[in-house]
Amino acid sequence: MKCPSCNETLLMSDKNGIEIDYCPNCRGIWLDRGELDKIIERSATHYSSKDNYGKDQERYSQRDQEYQQRSQEYQKPYHKKKGSFLGDIFDF
């Protein structure tokens, strides 16, 4: 099967009994009929247990905090542009 976006041959991967087609070129993921329903169903059963929800929340919130810390290190300081005479008339 060919990728609808870039016409590259799709590769197939099996994740927990669900066959997922993906493109190695554009990294697009393509699902056949019913595969998205299976993914949603399995995630609903996974998160129906409060223990699983708590574990995933801790894991992903820690990853988000690390990402925010790294992104703050690379932020450039804000420099305001020189104002014009229109700035006195209008609020920009």
Side-chain angles (χ1 to χ4, degrees), residues 7-51:
N7 208 24
E8 182 78 21
T9 302
L10 295 177
L11 300 176
M12 192 180 328
S13 176
D14 185 78
K15 302 286 184 184
N16 298 325
I18 300 172
E19 292 181 354
I20 299 173
D21 299 322
Y22 67 95
C23 178
N25 187 30
C26 70
R27 300 181 57 115
I29 296 174
W30 307 97
L31 301 172
D32 294 333
R33 176 171 283 174
E35 291 176 345
L36 182 59
D37 295 332
K38 289 179 186 178
I39 293 171
I40 292 170
E41 180 182 313
R42 290 185 184 174
S43 67
T45 57
H46 175 77
Y47 287 116
S48 64
S49 171
K50 191 172 185 174
D51 294 334

Side-chain angles (χ1 to χ4, degrees), residues 30-91:
W30 307 97
L31 301 172
D32 294 333
R33 176 171 283 174
E35 291 176 345
L36 182 59
D37 295 332
K38 289 179 186 178
I39 293 171
I40 292 170
E41 180 182 313
R42 290 185 184 174
S43 67
T45 57
H46 175 77
Y47 287 116
S48 64
S49 171
K50 191 172 185 174
D51 294 334
N52 289 337
Y53 182 79
K55 290 177 190 175
D56 288 349
Q57 183 181 13
E58 289 173 10
R59 182 174 64 189
Y60 291 121
S61 65
Q62 181 182 6
R63 188 182 304 168
D64 289 343
Q65 289 172 356
E66 291 171 1
Y67 173 76
Q68 289 174 356
Q69 289 173 351
R70 279 186 270 133
S71 65
Q72 288 175 355
E73 293 172 4
Y74 296 110
Q75 287 181 350
K76 294 180 181 178
Y78 175 74
H79 296 288
K80 186 174 180 179
K81 293 182 180 180
K82 183 179 177 184
S84 69
F85 73 95
L86 294 175
D88 296 332
I89 302 170
F90 301 106
D91 293 330

